[in-house]
Amino acid sequence: RPPEEYRPTFRDVPLARDVHGNALSYPLAFVEAAAAAGLVVGRTGGEEGPLFDPEAPVTRVQLAQMVARMVRNLGGDSPYAPEAAGAPTPLLVDVPLVDVPAHATEDVALVARLGLMMGYAGGRFDPYAEAQRGHVALVISRYLDWAATAGLR
């Protein structure tokens, strides 16, 4: 639980309270933990402070950036071995992706090289498409398998 006097990193993720006035941990504590770990950075919010936009959907490029930060925080970059995780499906990790924005090319290249996220036919990554819940679960599952296979957790 966040302390009563907690000042949030993002001005649009305030400390929520229940009907009795007690501080609630969701979403503030979780957003703050992700920010403290360097996994989420928000966006510019002007002089009033940065914004997180907690109700907005996550795009594929944002997911790739968060997962790349998780990988870097663990200090590893060995390729994901799906066969070690029981997934025999081959992963296409060397396909050049032509539609990734310049600010995210390193992150997308890292998660693609590790086999954590892939592109689509024609070298598309579709960076601004919403990351569907099932896709997020798949990427997180691959990340957890990768971390275990690489001996990082």
Side-chain angles (χ1 to χ4, degrees), residues 53-143:
D53 207 2
E55 301 300 320
V58 174
T59 65
R60 286 178 44 83
V61 73
Q62 290 168 330
L63 176 61
Q65 290 176 298
M66 288 185 277
V67 172
R69 291 176 191 134
M70 290 166 44
V71 167
R72 288 187 186 103
N73 282 354
L74 281 180
D77 63 357
S78 299
Y80 170 65
E83 60 282 349
T89 307
L91 301 174
L92 305 174
V93 296
D94 292 325
V95 176
L97 301 170
V98 297
D99 59 348
V100 176
H103 72 274
T105 54
E106 287 183 28
D107 292 332
V108 171
L110 175 61
V111 298
R113 183 170 49 81
L114 296 178
L116 304 177
M117 291 181 75
M118 271 63 74
Y120 299 107
R124 291 181 315 107
F125 186 72
D126 207 3
Y128 299 109
E130 289 183 16
Q132 302 299 316
R133 292 170 62 99
H135 185 230
V136 172
L138 174 65
V139 171
I140 296 303
S141 176
R142 286 178 178 162
Y143 169 80

Coordinates of all heavy atoms in Angstrom, one line a residue, residues 53-143:
D53 N -1.4 7.9 -18.7 CA -2.5 7.6 -19.5 C -3.0 6.1 -19.2 O -3.0 5.3 -20.1 CB -2.3 7.7 -21.0 CG -3.5 8.1 -21.8 OD1 -4.6 8.2 -21.2 OD2 -3.4 8.2 -23.0
P54 N -3.4 5.9 -17.9 CA -3.7 4.5 -17.5 C -4.9 3.8 -18.2 O -4.9 2.6 -18.2 CB -3.9 4.6 -16.0 CG -4.3 6.1 -15.8 CD -3.6 6.8 -16.9
E55 N -5.7 4.6 -18.8 CA -6.9 4.0 -19.4 C -6.7 3.7 -20.9 O -7.5 3.1 -21.5 CB -8.1 4.9 -19.2 CG -8.5 5.1 -17.8 CD -8.8 3.8 -17.0 OE1 -9.5 2.9 -17.6 OE2 -8.4 3.7 -15.8
A56 N -5.6 4.1 -21.4 CA -5.3 4.0 -22.9 C -4.9 2.5 -23.2 O -4.2 1.9 -22.3 CB -4.2 4.9 -23.3
P57 N -5.2 2.0 -24.3 CA -4.7 0.7 -24.7 C -3.2 0.8 -24.9 O -2.6 1.8 -25.3 CB -5.4 0.4 -26.0 CG -5.9 1.7 -26.5 CD -6.1 2.6 -25.3
V58 N -2.5 -0.4 -24.8 CA -1.1 -0.5 -25.1 C -0.9 -0.9 -26.5 O -1.6 -1.8 -27.0 CB -0.5 -1.5 -24.1 CG1 1.0 -1.8 -24.4 CG2 -0.6 -1.1 -22.7
T59 N 0.0 -0.2 -27.2 CA 0.3 -0.6 -28.6 C 1.4 -1.7 -28.6 O 2.1 -1.9 -27.6 CB 0.7 0.6 -29.4 OG1 2.0 1.1 -28.9 CG2 -0.3 1.7 -29.4
R60 N 1.5 -2.3 -29.8 CA 2.5 -3.3 -29.9 C 3.9 -2.7 -29.7 O 4.8 -3.4 -29.1 CB 2.4 -3.9 -31.3 CG 1.3 -4.9 -31.5 CD 1.2 -5.5 -32.9 NE 2.4 -5.9 -33.5 CZ 3.0 -7.1 -33.3 NH1 2.4 -8.0 -32.5 NH2 4.1 -7.4 -33.9
V61 N 4.2 -1.5 -30.2 CA 5.5 -0.9 -30.0 C 5.7 -0.6 -28.5 O 6.8 -0.8 -28.0 CB 5.7 0.3 -30.9 CG1 4.9 1.5 -30.5 CG2 7.2 0.6 -31.0
Q62 N 4.7 -0.2 -27.8 CA 4.9 0.1 -26.4 C 5.1 -1.2 -25.6 O 6.0 -1.2 -24.7 CB 3.6 0.8 -25.8 CG 3.4 2.2 -26.3 CD 2.1 2.8 -25.9 OE1 1.1 2.0 -25.9 NE2 2.0 4.1 -25.8
L63 N 4.5 -2.3 -26.0 CA 4.7 -3.6 -25.4 C 6.2 -4.0 -25.6 O 6.9 -4.4 -24.7 CB 3.7 -4.6 -25.9 CG 3.9 -6.0 -25.4 CD1 3.8 -6.1 -23.9 CD2 2.9 -7.0 -26.0
A64 N 6.6 -3.8 -26.9 CA 8.0 -4.2 -27.2 C 9.0 -3.4 -26.4 O 10.0 -3.9 -25.9 CB 8.2 -4.0 -28.7
Q65 N 8.7 -2.1 -26.2 CA 9.6 -1.3 -25.4 C 9.7 -1.7 -24.0 O 10.8 -1.8 -23.4 CB 9.2 0.2 -25.5 CG 9.5 0.8 -26.9 CD 9.0 2.2 -27.0 OE1 7.8 2.4 -26.9 NE2 9.9 3.1 -27.3
M66 N 8.5 -2.0 -23.4 CA 8.5 -2.5 -22.0 C 9.2 -3.8 -21.8 O 10.0 -4.0 -20.9 CB 7.1 -2.6 -21.5 CG 6.4 -1.2 -21.2 SD 4.8 -1.3 -20.5 CE 3.8 -1.7 -22.0
V67 N 9.0 -4.7 -22.7 CA 9.6 -6.0 -22.6 C 11.1 -5.9 -22.9 O 11.9 -6.5 -22.2 CB 9.0 -7.0 -23.6 CG1 9.8 -8.3 -23.7 CG2 7.5 -7.3 -23.2
A68 N 11.6 -5.0 -23.8 CA 13.0 -4.8 -24.0 C 13.6 -4.3 -22.8 O 14.8 -4.6 -22.4 CB 13.2 -3.9 -25.2
R69 N 13.0 -3.4 -22.1 CA 13.5 -2.8 -20.8 C 13.6 -3.9 -19.8 O 14.6 -3.9 -19.0 CB 12.6 -1.7 -20.3 CG 12.7 -0.4 -21.2 CD 11.7 0.6 -20.7 NE 11.6 1.7 -21.7 CZ 10.5 2.2 -22.2 NH1 9.4 1.8 -21.6 NH2 10.5 3.1 -23.1
M70 N 12.6 -4.8 -19.7 CA 12.7 -6.0 -18.8 C 13.9 -6.8 -19.1 O 14.6 -7.2 -18.2 CB 11.4 -6.8 -18.8 CG 10.2 -6.0 -18.3 SD 8.5 -6.7 -18.6 CE 8.7 -8.4 -18.4
V71 N 14.1 -7.1 -20.4 CA 15.3 -7.9 -20.8 C 16.6 -7.2 -20.4 O 17.5 -7.9 -19.8 CB 15.3 -8.1 -22.3 CG1 16.6 -8.7 -22.8 CG2 14.1 -9.1 -22.7
R72 N 16.7 -5.9 -20.6 CA 17.9 -5.2 -20.3 C 18.1 -5.2 -18.8 O 19.3 -5.2 -18.3 CB 17.9 -3.8 -20.9 CG 18.1 -3.8 -22.4 CD 18.2 -2.4 -23.0 NE 18.2 -2.5 -24.4 CZ 17.2 -2.2 -25.2 NH1 16.0 -1.8 -24.7 NH2 17.3 -2.3 -26.5
N73 N 17.0 -5.0 -18.0 CA 17.2 -5.0 -16.6 C 17.7 -6.3 -16.0 O 18.4 -6.3 -15.0 CB 15.8 -4.7 -15.9 CG 15.4 -3.2 -16.0 OD1 16.2 -2.4 -16.4 ND2 14.3 -2.9 -15.5
L74 N 17.4 -7.4 -16.7 CA 18.0 -8.7 -16.3 C 19.4 -8.9 -16.8 O 20.1 -9.9 -16.4 CB 17.1 -9.9 -16.8 CG 15.8 -10.1 -16.0 CD1 15.0 -11.3 -16.6 CD2 16.1 -10.4 -14.5
G75 N 19.8 -8.1 -17.8 CA 21.1 -8.2 -18.2 C 21.4 -9.3 -19.2 O 22.5 -9.8 -19.3
G76 N 20.4 -9.8 -19.9 CA 20.6 -10.9 -20.8 C 20.1 -10.6 -22.2 O 19.3 -9.7 -22.4
D77 N 20.6 -11.3 -23.2 CA 20.1 -11.2 -24.5 C 20.3 -12.4 -25.3 O 20.4 -12.4 -26.6 CB 20.7 -10.0 -25.2 CG 22.2 -10.1 -25.4 OD1 22.8 -11.1 -25.0 OD2 22.8 -9.2 -26.1
S78 N 20.3 -13.6 -24.7 CA 20.4 -14.9 -25.4 C 19.0 -15.1 -26.1 O 18.0 -14.9 -25.5 CB 20.7 -16.0 -24.4 OG 21.9 -15.8 -23.8
P79 N 19.0 -15.7 -27.3 CA 17.7 -16.0 -27.9 C 16.8 -16.9 -27.2 O 17.3 -17.8 -26.5 CB 18.2 -16.6 -29.3 CG 19.6 -16.1 -29.5 CD 20.2 -16.0 -28.1
Y80 N 15.6 -16.7 -27.3 CA 14.5 -17.5 -26.7 C 14.6 -18.9 -27.3 O 14.7 -19.0 -28.6 CB 13.2 -16.9 -26.9 CG 12.0 -17.7 -26.5 CD1 11.7 -18.1 -25.2 CD2 11.1 -18.1 -27.5 CE1 10.6 -18.9 -24.9 CE2 9.9 -18.8 -27.2 CZ 9.7 -19.2 -25.9 OH 8.6 -19.9 -25.6
A81 N 14.5 -20.0 -26.6 CA 14.6 -21.3 -27.1 C 13.2 -22.0 -26.9 O 12.9 -22.5 -25.9 CB 15.7 -22.1 -26.4
P82 N 12.3 -21.9 -27.9 CA 11.0 -22.4 -27.7 C 10.9 -23.9 -27.4 O 10.1 -24.3 -26.7 CB 10.3 -22.0 -29.0 CG 11.4 -21.8 -30.0 CD 12.5 -21.3 -29.2
E83 N 11.8 -24.6 -28.0 CA 11.8 -26.0 -27.8 C 12.1 -26.4 -26.3 O 11.5 -27.3 -25.7 CB 12.8 -26.8 -28.7 CG 14.3 -26.4 -28.5 CD 14.7 -25.1 -29.2 OE1 13.9 -24.5 -29.9 OE2 15.8 -24.6 -28.9
A84 N 12.9 -25.5 -25.6 CA 13.1 -25.7 -24.2 C 11.9 -25.4 -23.4 O 11.7 -26.0 -22.3 CB 14.3 -24.9 -23.7
A85 N 11.0 -24.6 -23.9 CA 9.8 -24.2 -23.2 C 8.6 -25.1 -23.6 O 7.5 -24.8 -23.2 CB 9.5 -22.8 -23.4
G86 N 8.9 -26.1 -24.5 CA 7.8 -27.0 -24.9 C 7.0 -26.4 -26.1 O 5.9 -26.9 -26.4
A87 N 7.5 -25.4 -26.8 CA 6.8 -24.8 -27.9 C 7.6 -25.1 -29.2 O 8.6 -24.4 -29.4 CB 6.6 -23.3 -27.7
P88 N 7.3 -26.1 -30.0 CA 8.1 -26.4 -31.1 C 8.0 -25.5 -32.3 O 8.7 -25.6 -33.3 CB 7.6 -27.8 -31.5 CG 6.2 -27.8 -31.0 CD 6.2 -27.0 -29.8
T89 N 7.1 -24.5 -32.2 CA 6.8 -23.6 -33.4 C 8.1 -22.8 -33.6 O 8.6 -22.1 -32.7 CB 5.7 -22.6 -33.0 OG1 4.6 -23.4 -32.7 CG2 5.3 -21.8 -34.2
P90 N 8.6 -22.8 -34.9 CA 9.8 -22.0 -35.2 C 9.4 -20.5 -35.1 O 8.3 -20.1 -35.5 CB 10.1 -22.4 -36.6 CG 8.9 -23.0 -37.2 CD 8.1 -23.5 -36.0
L91 N 10.4 -19.7 -34.7 CA 10.2 -18.3 -34.6 C 11.0 -17.6 -35.6 O 12.2 -17.9 -35.8 CB 10.6 -17.8 -33.1 CG 9.8 -18.4 -32.0 CD1 10.3 -18.0 -30.7 CD2 8.3 -18.1 -32.1
L92 N 10.4 -16.6 -36.3 CA 11.1 -15.9 -37.3 C 11.7 -14.6 -36.7 O 11.0 -13.6 -36.5 CB 10.2 -15.5 -38.5 CG 9.4 -16.7 -39.1 CD1 8.4 -16.2 -40.1 CD2 10.4 -17.7 -39.7
V93 N 13.0 -14.7 -36.4 CA 13.6 -13.6 -35.6 C 14.5 -12.7 -36.5 O 14.9 -11.7 -36.1 CB 14.4 -14.1 -34.4 CG1 13.5 -14.8 -33.4 CG2 15.5 -15.0 -34.8
D94 N 14.8 -13.1 -37.7 CA 15.7 -12.3 -38.5 C 15.0 -11.6 -39.7 O 15.6 -11.2 -40.6 CB 16.8 -13.2 -39.1 CG 17.7 -13.7 -38.0 OD1 18.0 -12.9 -37.1 OD2 18.2 -14.8 -38.1
V95 N 13.7 -11.5 -39.6 CA 12.9 -10.8 -40.6 C 13.0 -9.3 -40.4 O 12.7 -8.8 -39.3 CB 11.4 -11.2 -40.6 CG1 10.6 -10.4 -41.6 CG2 11.3 -12.7 -40.9
P96 N 13.5 -8.5 -41.4 CA 13.6 -7.0 -41.1 C 12.1 -6.5 -41.1 O 11.3 -6.8 -41.9 CB 14.3 -6.5 -42.4 CG 14.2 -7.6 -43.4 CD 14.0 -8.9 -42.6
L97 N 11.9 -5.6 -40.1 CA 10.6 -5.0 -39.9 C 10.7 -3.5 -40.5 O 11.5 -2.8 -40.0 CB 10.2 -5.0 -38.4 CG 10.2 -6.4 -37.9 CD1 10.1 -6.4 -36.4 CD2 9.1 -7.2 -38.5
V98 N 9.8 -3.2 -41.4 CA 10.0 -2.0 -42.2 C 9.2 -0.8 -41.6 O 9.4 0.3 -42.0 CB 9.6 -2.2 -43.6 CG1 10.5 -3.2 -44.3 CG2 8.1 -2.7 -43.8
D99 N 8.2 -1.1 -40.7 CA 7.3 0.0 -40.2 C 7.5 0.4 -38.8 O 6.7 1.1 -38.2 CB 5.9 -0.4 -40.5 CG 5.5 -1.7 -39.7 OD1 6.4 -2.4 -39.2 OD2 4.3 -2.0 -39.6
V100 N 8.7 0.1 -38.2 CA 9.0 0.4 -36.8 C 9.5 1.8 -36.7 O 10.4 2.2 -37.5 CB 10.0 -0.6 -36.2 CG1 10.4 -0.2 -34.8 CG2 9.5 -2.0 -36.3
P101 N 8.9 2.7 -35.8 CA 9.4 4.0 -35.7 C 10.8 4.1 -35.2 O 11.3 3.2 -34.4 CB 8.4 4.7 -34.7 CG 7.8 3.5 -33.9 CD 7.8 2.3 -34.9
A102 N 11.5 5.1 -35.6 CA 13.0 5.2 -35.3 C 13.3 5.2 -33.8 O 14.2 4.5 -33.4 CB 13.5 6.5 -35.9
H103 N 12.4 5.7 -33.0 CA 12.7 5.8 -31.5 C 12.6 4.4 -30.9 O 13.0 4.2 -29.8 CB 11.7 6.7 -30.8 CG 10.3 6.3 -30.8 ND1 9.4 6.5 -31.8 CD2 9.6 5.6 -29.8 CE1 8.2 6.0 -31.4 NE2 8.3 5.4 -30.2
A104 N 12.0 3.4 -31.6 CA 11.8 2.1 -31.0 C 12.5 1.0 -31.8 O 12.4 -0.2 -31.4 CB 10.3 1.8 -31.0
T105 N 13.4 1.3 -32.7 CA 14.0 0.3 -33.6 C 14.9 -0.7 -32.7 O 14.8 -1.9 -32.9 CB 14.8 0.8 -34.7 OG1 15.8 1.8 -34.2 CG2 13.9 1.5 -35.7
E106 N 15.6 -0.2 -31.8 CA 16.5 -1.0 -31.0 C 15.7 -2.0 -30.1 O 16.0 -3.2 -30.0 CB 17.5 -0.2 -30.2 CG 18.6 0.4 -30.9 CD 19.5 1.2 -30.1 OE1 19.7 0.8 -28.9 OE2 20.1 2.1 -30.6
D107 N 14.6 -1.5 -29.5 CA 13.8 -2.3 -28.6 C 13.1 -3.4 -29.4 O 13.0 -4.5 -29.0 CB 12.8 -1.4 -27.9 CG 13.4 -0.5 -26.9 OD1 14.5 -0.8 -26.4 OD2 12.8 0.6 -26.6
V108 N 12.5 -3.0 -30.6 CA 11.8 -4.0 -31.4 C 12.7 -5.0 -31.9 O 12.5 -6.2 -31.9 CB 11.0 -3.3 -32.5 CG1 10.4 -4.3 -33.5 CG2 9.8 -2.5 -31.9
A109 N 13.9 -4.6 -32.3 CA 14.9 -5.5 -32.8 C 15.3 -6.5 -31.8 O 15.5 -7.7 -32.0 CB 16.1 -4.8 -33.4
L110 N 15.5 -6.0 -30.5 CA 15.9 -6.9 -29.4 C 14.8 -8.0 -29.2 O 15.1 -9.2 -29.1 CB 16.1 -6.1 -28.2 CG 16.4 -6.9 -26.9 CD1 17.7 -7.8 -27.1 CD2 16.6 -6.0 -25.7
V111 N 13.5 -7.5 -29.0 CA 12.5 -8.5 -28.7 C 12.2 -9.5 -29.9 O 11.9 -10.7 -29.7 CB 11.2 -7.9 -28.2 CG1 11.4 -7.1 -26.9 CG2 10.5 -7.0 -29.2
A112 N 12.4 -9.0 -31.1 CA 12.3 -9.9 -32.3 C 13.4 -10.9 -32.3 O 13.2 -12.0 -32.6 CB 12.2 -9.0 -33.5
R113 N 14.7 -10.4 -32.1 CA 15.8 -11.3 -32.1 C 15.7 -12.3 -31.1 O 16.1 -13.5 -31.3 CB 17.1 -10.4 -31.9 CG 18.4 -11.3 -32.0 CD 19.6 -10.4 -32.0 NE 19.7 -9.4 -31.0 CZ 20.1 -9.6 -29.7 NH1 20.4 -10.8 -29.4 NH2 20.1 -8.7 -28.9
L114 N 15.2 -12.0 -29.9 CA 15.0 -13.0 -28.8 C 13.8 -13.9 -29.1 O 13.7 -14.9 -28.3 CB 14.9 -12.3 -27.5 CG 16.1 -11.5 -27.0 CD1 15.8 -10.8 -25.7 CD2 17.3 -12.4 -26.9
G115 N 13.0 -13.6 -30.1 CA 11.8 -14.4 -30.3 C 10.7 -14.1 -29.4 O 9.8 -14.9 -29.3
L116 N 10.7 -13.0 -28.7 CA 9.6 -12.7 -27.8 C 8.4 -12.1 -28.5 O 7.3 -12.3 -28.0 CB 10.1 -11.8 -26.7 CG 11.3 -12.3 -25.9 CD1 11.8 -11.2 -24.9 CD2 11.1 -13.6 -25.2
M117 N 8.7 -11.3 -29.5 CA 7.6 -10.8 -30.4 C 8.0 -10.9 -31.8 O 9.2 -10.9 -32.1 CB 7.3 -9.3 -30.1 CG 6.7 -9.0 -28.7 SD 6.4 -7.3 -28.4 CE 5.0 -7.0 -29.5
M118 N 7.1 -11.0 -32.7 CA 7.4 -11.2 -34.1 C 6.6 -10.2 -34.9 O 5.6 -9.6 -34.4 CB 7.0 -12.6 -34.6 CG 8.1 -13.6 -34.5 SD 8.6 -14.0 -32.8 CE 7.2 -14.9 -32.2
G119 N 7.0 -10.0 -36.2 CA 6.3 -9.2 -37.1 C 5.3 -10.0 -37.9 O 5.0 -11.2 -37.6
Y120 N 4.7 -9.4 -38.9 CA 3.7 -10.0 -39.8 C 4.3 -10.2 -41.2 O 5.4 -9.7 -41.5 CB 2.4 -9.2 -39.8 CG 1.8 -9.0 -38.4 CD1 1.9 -7.8 -37.7 CD2 1.1 -10.1 -37.8 CE1 1.3 -7.7 -36.5 CE2 0.5 -10.0 -36.6 CZ 0.6 -8.8 -35.9 OH 0.0 -8.7 -34.7
A121 N 3.5 -10.7 -42.1 CA 3.9 -10.9 -43.5 C 4.4 -9.5 -44.1 O 3.8 -8.5 -43.7 CB 2.8 -11.5 -44.3
G122 N 5.3 -9.6 -44.9 CA 5.8 -8.4 -45.6 C 6.7 -7.5 -44.8 O 6.9 -6.3 -45.1
G123 N 7.2 -8.1 -43.7 CA 8.1 -7.3 -42.8 C 7.4 -6.2 -42.0 O 8.0 -5.3 -41.5
R124 N 6.1 -6.4 -41.8 CA 5.4 -5.4 -41.0 C 5.4 -5.8 -39.5 O 5.3 -7.0 -39.1 CB 3.9 -5.3 -41.4 CG 3.7 -4.7 -42.7 CD 2.2 -4.6 -43.1 NE 1.5 -5.9 -42.7 CZ 0.6 -6.1 -41.7 NH1 0.4 -5.1 -40.9 NH2 0.0 -7.2 -41.5
F125 N 5.5 -4.8 -38.6 CA 5.4 -5.0 -37.2 C 4.1 -4.5 -36.7 O 3.6 -5.0 -35.7 CB 6.6 -4.3 -36.4 CG 6.6 -4.6 -35.0 CD1 6.9 -5.9 -34.5 CD2 6.2 -3.7 -34.0 CE1 7.0 -6.2 -33.1 CE2 6.2 -3.9 -32.7 CZ 6.6 -5.2 -32.2
D126 N 3.5 -3.6 -37.4 CA 2.2 -3.0 -37.1 C 2.3 -2.4 -35.7 O 1.6 -2.7 -34.8 CB 1.1 -4.0 -37.1 CG -0.3 -3.4 -37.4 OD1 -0.4 -2.2 -37.6 OD2 -1.3 -4.1 -37.4
P127 N 3.2 -1.4 -35.5 CA 3.6 -0.9 -34.2 C 2.5 -0.2 -33.4 O 2.5 -0.2 -32.2 CB 4.7 0.1 -34.5 CG 4.5 0.5 -35.9 CD 4.0 -0.7 -36.6
Y128 N 1.5 0.4 -34.1 CA 0.5 1.2 -33.4 C -0.8 0.4 -33.3 O -1.8 1.0 -32.8 CB 0.3 2.5 -34.1 CG 1.6 3.3 -34.1 CD1 2.4 3.6 -35.2 CD2 2.1 3.8 -32.9 CE1 3.6 4.2 -35.2 CE2 3.3 4.5 -32.8 CZ 4.0 4.7 -34.0 OH 5.2 5.4 -33.9
A129 N -0.8 -0.8 -33.7 CA -2.0 -1.7 -33.4 C -2.0 -2.0 -31.9 O -1.0 -2.1 -31.2 CB -1.9 -3.0 -34.2
E130 N -3.2 -2.1 -31.4 CA -3.4 -2.4 -30.0 C -2.8 -3.8 -29.7 O -3.0 -4.8 -30.5 CB -4.8 -2.4 -29.5 CG -5.4 -1.0 -29.5 CD -6.8 -1.0 -29.0 OE1 -7.3 -2.0 -28.4 OE2 -7.5 0.1 -29.2
A131 N -2.1 -4.0 -28.6 CA -1.7 -5.3 -28.2 C -2.8 -6.0 -27.5 O -3.3 -5.6 -26.4 CB -0.5 -5.2 -27.2
Q132 N -3.4 -7.0 -28.1 CA -4.5 -7.7 -27.6 C -4.1 -8.5 -26.3 O -2.9 -8.9 -26.2 CB -5.1 -8.7 -28.6 CG -5.5 -8.1 -29.9 CD -6.6 -7.0 -29.7 OE1 -7.6 -7.3 -29.0 NE2 -6.5 -5.9 -30.3
R133 N -5.0 -8.7 -25.4 CA -4.7 -9.3 -24.1 C -4.1 -10.7 -24.3 O -3.1 -11.0 -23.6 CB -6.0 -9.5 -23.3 CG -6.6 -8.1 -22.8 CD -7.9 -8.3 -22.2 NE -8.0 -9.1 -21.0 CZ -8.0 -8.7 -19.8 NH1 -8.0 -7.4 -19.6 NH2 -8.0 -9.5 -18.8
G134 N -4.5 -11.5 -25.2 CA -3.9 -12.8 -25.5 C -2.5 -12.7 -26.0 O -1.6 -13.5 -25.6
H135 N -2.3 -11.7 -26.8 CA -0.9 -11.4 -27.3 C 0.0 -11.0 -26.2 O 1.1 -11.5 -26.1 CB -1.0 -10.4 -28.4 CG 0.3 -10.1 -29.1 ND1 0.9 -8.9 -29.2 CD2 1.3 -11.0 -29.6 CE1 2.1 -9.0 -29.8 NE2 2.3 -10.3 -30.0
V136 N -0.5 -10.1 -25.3 CA 0.3 -9.7 -24.1 C 0.7 -10.9 -23.3 O 1.8 -11.1 -22.9 CB -0.4 -8.6 -23.3 CG1 0.3 -8.3 -22.0 CG2 -0.6 -7.4 -24.1
A137 N -0.3 -11.8 -23.0 CA 0.0 -13.0 -22.2 C 1.0 -13.9 -22.9 O 1.9 -14.4 -22.3 CB -1.3 -13.8 -22.0
L138 N 0.9 -14.0 -24.2 CA 1.9 -14.8 -25.0 C 3.3 -14.2 -24.9 O 4.3 -15.0 -24.6 CB 1.5 -14.9 -26.5 CG 2.5 -15.6 -27.4 CD1 2.6 -17.0 -27.0 CD2 2.0 -15.4 -28.8
V139 N 3.4 -12.9 -25.0 CA 4.7 -12.3 -24.9 C 5.3 -12.4 -23.5 O 6.5 -12.7 -23.4 CB 4.6 -10.8 -25.4 CG1 5.9 -10.0 -25.1 CG2 4.3 -10.7 -26.8
I140 N 4.5 -12.2 -22.5 CA 4.9 -12.4 -21.1 C 5.3 -13.8 -20.9 O 6.4 -14.1 -20.2 CB 3.9 -11.9 -20.1 CG1 3.6 -10.4 -20.3 CG2 4.3 -12.2 -18.7 CD1 4.8 -9.5 -20.2
S141 N 4.6 -14.8 -21.4 CA 4.9 -16.2 -21.2 C 6.3 -16.5 -21.9 O 7.1 -17.2 -21.3 CB 3.8 -17.1 -21.8 OG 4.2 -18.4 -21.7
R142 N 6.5 -16.0 -23.1 CA 7.8 -16.2 -23.8 C 8.9 -15.5 -23.0 O 10.0 -16.1 -22.9 CB 7.7 -15.6 -25.2 CG 6.9 -16.4 -26.1 CD 6.9 -15.7 -27.5 NE 6.1 -16.5 -28.4 CZ 5.7 -16.0 -29.6 NH1 5.8 -14.8 -29.9 NH2 5.0 -16.8 -30.4
Y143 N 8.6 -14.3 -22.4 CA 9.6 -13.6 -21.6 C 10.0 -14.5 -20.4 O 11.2 -14.7 -20.1 CB 9.1 -12.3 -21.2 CG 10.0 -11.6 -20.1 CD1 11.2 -11.0 -20.5 CD2 9.7 -11.7 -18.8 CE1 12.0 -10.4 -19.5 CE2 10.5 -11.2 -17.8 CZ 11.6 -10.5 -18.2 OH 12.4 -10.0 -17.2

